[in-house]
Amino acid sequence: MADFQNHADRTLELLAITPGWAKLQQIRPDCDDATAAAIVEEAAAFAEGIIAPLNVVADREGCAVINGRVVTPDVYKAAFRQYTDAGWLGMDIDEAYGGMNLPLTLQAVCGTFFERGCVALMMALGASRAAAHLLAEVAQPVIAEEWVSNLVAGHWSATICISEPEAGSDVGRLRTVARRGKDGWRITGQKIWISFGDHDLTQRIGHCLLARTSNQPGTRGLSLFLVPDRHADGSGNGVTLERIEEKMGLHGSPTCALRFEAAQAILLGEEGRGLPQLFAMIERMRLQTGGQGLGLATAACDIAEAYALDRRQGGAPDKPPVAISTHPDIQRQLAQMRGRTEIVRAALLEIATTMDLARHAPSGPARHALESVSGFLLPLFKNFGAEAGFSIPNAAIQVLGGVGYTKDWPLEQYMRDARVMTIYEGTTGIQAIDLLTRRIWRDQSVGLALCLERAWEEVSTAADTHREIGLAAIAQVKELAHHMDAMKVDPEAGLARADSFMRAIWSFISIWLAVRLTRSAAARSAAEAMLPVLAAELTMYATLCR
């Protein structure tokens, strides 16, 4: 439990210095420090005792298709049931559906423990939770009551079905069709890349699916449907498993291709508004993706730090070898790993508390401002949280040396599992394009301006050296944003620089949050070591935008 307890301690310490958490506690006095600590520590214990033991077993056993259905690792079933029975899936779901109605912040925090434990199993549970929110928001009340309650209880599960052959990220080219007849809507087509599209963990699977309902071009002709894999009596509903993919990692998560043949479907929300409505699910899954990376990065840091204290090599030849943690280059590597990981954790808390505050704010300018901040930060957290899930285990392998490359340690599995995270739920390129075209060009940099204000409030009162780096970063980003905004007259040139721009912005966000981390006893030294590194990275990426 030591590593999970360290994870919990770091999280609670950082939560305490996150400005949005104090504001949220004023609105939610039931989430006092003692209550929050009890929830976080229980999640850490559950993840360590119930979820983590599944990880290596599920990776090596994998999933198989037997008699046309997916069979998951045997160890999943009991853990899935324990997870839902304990209420973890419904943490931030309304009590009317059997949830706990806790803040998103606490759900997101606890999610990092479960992702650290077994990210493959959480692919199923995370999609069901996101679908529960979607259905609660857009489904007819009778459908929401039936499905959300069963999802929270773990009786049923759900997926997101978007991609098709030749139409992955290009959603406007989807060809699956929905036809309305006397008995309602029916879906025909093929969907691919569906995590847990078929499995043996629940009685029913509901597919949240985009299909074309009109000849309107692009995404305007798409509507959103709920397609159960079987009827209430257990008979099939025209949904057939075609295959599961053989993948680099996430072997315990079956990635399915499904065929829909006149499958009965339930229209969700308004016809023709499928994609905008589906973002209620996509946004939560993007937040989960960043949390997946954070969970694995945290585990990798803990492994590397513990190994460096224990492994003895080098030093004076006439004396016993010393712990490698005393070597300056190992210290540098560990500090950068920890610094980057804690910055991602700070970003998670900043976004989640902002999203919570937005939901409590009355309609109007205050809510719009909060939504602008979270909308600006989410693509950054999704991408760079996901990148940390790969890059930090990769760095940890370097610290461990040859043994880190073996299956005796979980780092190689973390890398295999994490590699896809910058691809699903929107690739790195898509997040960069969204940041530039939507958040800078269309929204006129409102979200960035508000983030700059938040950063200035914290940086301007920091210690001299930290303040100097922070204020320089703010000035540099203001100039860069003005330069990139002017490039909308030449969109192709702007898009060619979108990735560098996103990385420059993340360097700035990282500087802002690193300054905050200097107030944390556990993260201070790593944050201070990262500040000059981040300042250099910001300059480099800003230069590439010119």
Side-chain angles (χ1 to χ4, degrees):
M1 179 65 187
D3 288 342
F4 278 85
Q5 186 62 56
N6 179 43
H7 185 162
D9 291 344
R10 286 180 177 276
T11 300
L12 289 168
E13 183 176 310
L14 185 48
L15 187 63
I17 61 172
T18 300
W21 179 243
K23 295 176 183 177
L24 184 60
Q25 285 183 309
Q26 294 175 2
I27 300 169
R28 292 289 305 265
D30 57 318
C31 295
D32 56 86
D33 290 344
T35 300
I39 292 169
V40 168
E41 289 175 358
E42 180 60 27
F46 186 93
E48 193 263 348
I50 304 299
I51 304 296
L54 315 178
N55 198 43
V56 172
V57 177
D59 178 62
R60 296 182 182 178
E61 184 176 334
C63 300
V65 178
I66 299 177
N67 297 324
R69 298 300 305 270
V70 171
V71 175
T72 59
D74 289 339
V75 293
Y76 274 1
K77 295 177 181 62
F80 187 98
R81 176 56 50 207
Q82 288 174 280
Y83 183 92
T84 53
D85 286 350
W88 296 117
L89 191 145
M91 284 185 69
D92 61 334
I93 304 291
D94 194 280
E95 291 174 337
Y97 301 113
M100 296 183 184
N101 197 33
L102 289 168
L104 168 65
T105 301
L106 288 179
Q107 187 283 325
V109 162
C110 293
T112 64
F113 300 108
F114 306 134
E115 302 291 357
R116 172 182 182 154
C118 184
V119 69
L121 177 60
M122 293 307 299
M123 297 289 288
L125 292 159
S128 288
R129 171 188 160 266
H133 279 286
L134 170 69
L135 295 172
E137 289 185 27
V138 304
Q140 295 179 351
V142 65
I143 299 299
E145 171 60 32
E146 179 185 30
W147 273 88
V148 177
S149 299
N150 276 290
L151 290 172
V152 169
H155 300 148
W156 300 350
S157 58
T159 76
I160 185 168
C161 290
I162 302 177
S163 297
E164 301 176 10
E166 309 305 325
S169 300
D170 193 355
V171 179
R173 297 185 188 277
L174 296 181
R175 292 173 293 182
T176 293
V177 296
R179 301 291 185 221
R180 182 161 46 186
K182 294 180 180 179
D183 62 346
W185 291 94
R186 288 187 176 270
I187 304 288
T188 298
Q190 184 188 29
K191 293 290 184 179
I192 58 175
W193 308 126
I194 309 164
S195 298
F196 282 88
D198 190 71
H199 58 82
D200 55 359
L201 300 176
T202 60
Q203 302 161 5
R204 262 178 127 183
I205 304 170
H207 302 293
C208 299
L209 179 148
L210 287 178
R212 192 161 295 283
T213 52
S214 77
N215 292 325
Q216 289 287 322
T219 61
R220 286 177 291 174
L222 298 177
S223 299
L224 179 60
F225 294 88
L226 174 65
V227 186
D229 71 327
R230 57 193 62 246
H231 299 294
D233 63 5
S235 60
N237 183 32
V239 182
T240 304
L241 172 69
E242 293 191 324
R243 67 179 183 279
I244 58 175
E245 307 294 347
E246 295 291 336
K247 309 188 299 293
M248 174 181 178
L250 291 178
H251 296 154
S253 172
T255 303
C256 302
L258 300 179
R259 171 70 61 181
F260 297 82
E261 294 288 352
Q264 288 188 334
I266 302 161
L267 178 67
L268 298 175
E270 299 178 40
E271 186 177 344
R273 285 187 46 77
L275 186 58
Q277 292 172 161
L278 188 57
F279 264 88
M281 187 173 183
I282 293 172
E283 287 179 352
R284 288 176 173 88
M285 295 183 76
R286 286 181 174 175
L287 190 66
Q288 179 192 0
T289 300
Q292 290 173 334
L294 175 56
L296 297 183
T298 303
C301 279
D302 288 344
I303 290 169
E305 288 168 353
Y307 182 87
L309 288 170
D310 185 64
R311 177 76 166 105
R312 297 188 172 276
Q313 185 170 310
D318 58 340
K319 295 181 180 179
V322 298
I324 64 171
S325 60
T326 63
H327 298 320
D329 189 59
I330 297 295
Q331 293 173 350
R332 174 192 63 81
Q333 293 178 61
L334 293 174
Q336 291 197 13
M337 288 169 55
R338 178 57 73 182
R340 292 187 191 278
T341 299
E342 297 309 311
I343 286 165
V344 174
R345 196 181 324 282
L348 171 65
L349 297 175
E350 186 70 17
I351 296 168
T353 54
T354 300
M355 293 173 75
D356 274 324
L357 291 169
R359 291 189 181 89
H360 287 288
S363 298
R367 176 181 288 185
H368 178 69
L370 290 163
E371 290 175 342
S372 295
V373 171
S374 63
F376 184 81
L377 291 174
L378 184 58
L380 292 162
F381 175 71
K382 185 274 173 187
N383 185 75
F384 292 101
E387 283 196 0
F390 182 84
S391 64
I392 303 301
N394 183 40
I397 288 176
Q398 194 69 25
V399 172
L400 269 66
V403 298
Y405 190 62
T406 70
K407 290 191 175 183
D408 293 339
W409 296 81
L411 297 170
E412 60 86 23
Q413 183 188 340
Y414 293 164
M415 287 185 66
R416 288 188 287 105
D417 287 348
R419 182 58 189 90
V420 72
M421 292 174 188
T422 57
I423 298 174
Y424 58 44
E425 309 309 333
T427 65
T428 297
I430 286 174
Q431 304 304 325
I433 290 169
D434 175 81
L435 187 74
L436 177 62
T437 63
R438 185 148 64 122
R439 303 303 175 184
I440 301 300
W441 292 351
R442 191 196 71 180
D443 296 348
Q444 299 180 318
S445 302
V446 170
L448 174 58
L450 292 167
C451 287
L452 287 164
E453 289 179 12
R454 290 188 177 193
W456 186 88
E457 289 174 1
E458 293 193 64
V459 165
S460 63
T461 59
D464 290 346
T465 304
H466 307 153
R467 182 173 65 251
E468 180 181 336
I469 293 174
L471 293 177
I474 290 171
Q476 197 169 5
V477 166
K478 286 181 178 179
E479 181 184 354
L480 176 61
H482 179 75
H483 170 74
M484 293 302 294
D485 184 61
M487 295 193 77
K488 61 190 172 188
V489 298
D490 186 2
E492 292 297 314
L495 292 174
R497 293 161 174 79
D499 182 80
S500 294
F501 176 66
M502 179 175 69
R503 294 181 187 280
I505 295 298
W506 178 248
S507 297
F508 151 66
I509 298 294
S510 296
I511 290 169
W512 160 28
L513 297 177
V515 170
R516 178 184 300 173
L517 286 167
T518 62
R519 296 165 50 203
S520 162
R524 181 182 299 117
S525 61
E528 290 177 337
M530 282 301 301
L531 279 168
V533 175
L534 294 167
E537 290 177 352
L538 172 56
T539 297
M540 177 184 69
Y541 288 121
T543 300
L544 292 173
C545 291
R546 299 297 175 177

